Every structure is written in C-alpha cells, then in structure tokens.
Amino acid sequence: MSTATPAGPATPADPDPASPPSPWTRKHLLGLEELSREEITAVLDTAESFSEVSNRSRKKVPALQGRIVFNLFFENSTRTRTSFSLAAKRLSADVQDFTASVSSISKGETFIDTARNIEAMGCDVMVVRHPTPGAPHLLSQHVQSSIINAGDGAHEHPTQGLLDLMTIRRAKGKIEGLTVALVGDIAHSRVARSNIWGLLKLGARVILCGPPTLVPRSLERLGCEVAHRLDDVLHRCDVINVLRIQFERQQRALFPSVAEYSHFYMMTQERVRKAKDDLLILAPGPINRGVELTPEVADGKHSAILDQVHNGLAVRMAVLYLLGGKAPEAE
Ligand code: ASP
C-alpha cells in the first residue's frame, strides 16, 4: 500500500519553537477511551518521528538509556511482546521479559505481589497483558512504575488501536470523514474497542459488522452504526479492519459454523472488487487465512497488514518515549 505521511505538528526529531507543547502529560497508557483527540494525535505525530528513526542506518536513540522496561505477559503474544521489546531496545532501555507460566504465580504468588517484586528490581515501565479486563488499571494503583496496557481481556488494546490509526492516517492522509468498518467478533475484541474510541475521537464514521451474536445492536449507543450483512455496507467503506473470531473468549457457539461465518463475512477478492478502488484492508493478527480473509486478500494490494506491524514499532517507541523518555537526537 502506498503511504502519504501527513504534515503533522513538530515532532521530537524536528523541534519547532512556535508549535504548542505536546498535550501528553499522562503517566500510564491504559486505554484510548480516556484519551482526548489531542493526546491521540500527539502519539501519532511522535510515532511519525520514530518511524523516521527506523529508516536510519543506526536505529538506536538514547531516549530511555538507564531505564528498565519489564514485559509482564499473562497471555500469549507474538507481535505485541516482540514489538515492545524491540521498541524499548531501540530507545536504549534495558528490557526484561516475564512469563507467567514459568513464574512464582504458579506457586501462589499474587499478581500485585509479583509486580511489586519486579518493581523492587528497579523497573520504570511495565508493559502488561492480562486476560482480566482492568488488570493494568489495578496495577497502576499499586506500583510506582508507568503502566502500559498491552491488552486486558476483551476490554482494550490501546497500542493496537494507535497503530491501526497510524496505518490509516499514513495511507489516506487523514482519518476525519472516513468510513471504517470493523468486521467480525466485536463483542469479544479488545482491538475493536480501542479502534472504536480512537476512530470516533478522530472524526471517522464507524460501522460494526458481524452476526447479531457477535455485534449486538446495543453497541450503537457508542456512536457506531451496526450492520449484520457485510455486502450491504461494503461499497461505503474506505477501510475494513478484519477482526479474528475470539474463540478463546467465547463460552458457547455463537454462530452455526465457521463455514457459514466465512460465507457472510470473509473478505474475498469478489468482495474487494465490489468495494471502493482504494479500499484499505487491516487485520490485527494473528490472521486465519480462509476464515476471516482469503490468502489472496491478505497478500493483495489493498492489504496493509505488514504496514501495521511496521507502524506498531514506531507507535510503541512513541508511547515509551512519552511516558518518560527524551527526544531522539538528529543524526
Ligand atoms: N493480537 C490481537 C490481540 O491480542 C488480536 C487477536 O488476538 O485477535 O487482541
């Protein structure tokens, strides 16, 4: 997908004394629901600056030199944990991974005691993923470190929401006025919730599309349109974000079969042909080829799936930096 970087306000790599100071003053990043439009824009603009750092021959900047970042993951992760680790390393922090399955949690230690012990080793930032909604919020009340929510149950996944926004803004040059459909398992998706808050605050129209059991009408109260037939709304979409069915969070069968789900909601080449010529297709990953989208669509020219992964690194550098780093120095 071609990219058009918007000319945002000054970034740390490009200081402009005439520009207003960054509106970011928070200690934690717990969700996009509580962020203002200005705060979200500040993260996206800062991420653009760190994206430029990734193109340099020397990709490391000293912003977090001497700081310690802990990854506390109580749920599986591929992209998010790796991306946070690499982001922290590029900012020159020391990074330590903590894996719940091989820790003293299995000997009965509580979540908060574990975090306090980690903090006693000198931790500055904790990146927390947990199956219970609100777990990072709870931790933020019991430790001194900055907390970044890396996914709490079906609640929020703010850095995924931010990297999706960055990918849309780069490809389309704006977010305001776009129509974005989130397709699939909205009810159990933390990615959906972070996208909804971020997109609405930046002025997009949001369509939530999927079977009634996964997309209840009550979601309209968030300010979104709800649709149960993808073919009815396809032609209006500038962006489609294809979400994975969260089988691990469903307590019972919520649709007759995967084959039937795919028949109504899978992004296929035929559906792409019926959509706008410049349709942008996102998927947070892991993708299930042949369930939520076909291999041709996943690898096709409308897909920005790998751009999302690339932008995720810049977004996570930006978030770590805004929670306590220093500006990248011009090379
Ligand atoms: N990787 C994303 C998450 O952790 C999306 C998914 O798992 O479907 O929520």
Side-chain angles (χ1 to χ4, degrees), residues 122-133:
C123 169
D124 297 291
V125 181
M126 290 187 199
V127 179
V128 182
R129 169 168 288 192
H130 201 281
T132 308

Side-chain angles (χ1 to χ4, degrees), residues 294-315:
T294 61
E296 297 73 34
V297 172
D299 303 326
K301 68 180 169 90
H302 295 268
S303 167
I305 294 173
L306 294 180
D307 296 331
Q308 288 172 270
V309 179
H310 176 84
N311 295 336
L313 185 56
V315 157

Side-chain angles (χ1 to χ4, degrees), residues 10-297:
T11 63
D14 175 27
D16 173 4
S19 76
S22 164
W24 188 273
T25 54
R26 288 176 191 268
K27 183 173 178 190
H28 310 291
L29 176 66
L30 300 175
L32 296 195
E33 181 175 3
E34 55 258 34
L35 296 194
S36 65
R37 179 190 179 108
E38 290 69 31
E39 287 172 309
I40 293 174
T41 304
V43 182
L44 299 183
D45 293 340
T46 308
E48 286 299 341
S49 142
F50 283 115
S51 182
E52 182 271 322
V53 170
S54 295
N55 297 331
R56 296 180 188 171
S57 52
R58 279 183 292 130
K59 297 180 175 31
K60 227 167 165 155
V61 292
L64 290 190
Q65 206 154 41
R67 309 280 168 101
I68 300 176
V69 175
F70 258 93
N71 283 326
L72 268 75
F73 277 60
F74 295 82
E75 248 192 16
N76 295 342
S77 170
T78 309
R79 276 152 295 271
T80 307
R81 187 211 293 252
T82 316
S83 181
F84 266 114
S85 291
L86 201 51
K89 284 177 189 162
R90 286 199 173 170
L91 295 171
S92 305
D94 293 321
V95 193
Q96 184 63 46
D97 276 347
F98 166 89
T99 309
S101 56
V102 292
S103 76
S104 289
I105 295 267
S106 58
K107 297 182 191 169
E109 186 170 75
T110 69
F111 174 51
I112 291 171
D113 280 336
T114 299
R116 281 190 175 142
N117 277 272
I118 282 172
E119 191 160 71
M121 295 178 214
C123 169
D124 297 291
V125 181
M126 290 187 199
V127 179
V128 182
R129 169 168 288 192
H130 201 281
T132 308
H137 308 64
L138 178 72
L139 216 51
S140 71
Q141 292 158 17
H142 290 273
V143 296
Q144 299 304 313
S145 310
S146 286
I147 305 291
I148 301 175
N149 179 0
D152 60 328
H155 178 226
E156 278 225 40
H157 190 349
T159 55
Q160 178 71 48
L162 289 163
L163 74 88
D164 290 347
L165 292 171
M166 179 176 179
T167 306
I168 295 171
R169 198 176 76 156
R170 286 194 132 201
K172 302 284 187 189
K174 62 170 187 178
I175 290 176
E176 179 125 39
L178 295 179
T179 297
V180 180
L182 306 176
V183 178
D185 186 357
I186 311 299
H188 302 94
S189 171
R190 55 194 176 205
V191 176
R193 245 159 294 281
S194 289
N195 263 266
I196 290 169
W197 295 122
L199 288 163
L200 290 177
K201 283 174 197 221
L202 295 193
R205 178 175 186 81
V206 180
I207 304 176
L208 306 177
C209 181
T213 45
L214 299 179
V215 188
R217 280 263 163 228
S218 57
L219 289 171
E220 280 174 346
R221 70 174 190 276
L222 299 179
C224 305
E225 180 181 336
V226 166
H228 298 309
R229 286 177 55 92
L230 179 55
D231 292 326
D232 288 349
V233 295
L234 194 55
H235 63 282
R236 287 199 278 130
C237 298
D238 299 295
V239 181
I240 291 189
N241 197 340
V242 181
L243 304 180
R244 185 176 66 85
I245 305 168
Q246 309 278 300
F247 286 113
E248 71 275 25
R249 296 188 211 287
Q250 297 175 8
Q251 313 303 328
R252 61 193 168 95
L254 292 170
F255 45 86
S257 68
V258 169
E260 178 162 294
Y261 177 88
S262 300
H263 175 72
F264 285 106
Y265 302 105
M266 181 165 68
M267 274 310 289
T268 58
Q269 285 290 41
E270 199 190 335
R271 287 201 164 104
V272 168
R273 273 193 291 277
K274 289 184 196 154
K276 289 187 180 178
D277 290 342
D278 61 349
L279 176 72
L280 185 73
I281 298 175
L282 308 183
I287 58 168
N288 289 316
R289 292 167 182 262
V291 178
E292 291 104 5
L293 72 180
T294 61
E296 297 73 34
V297 172

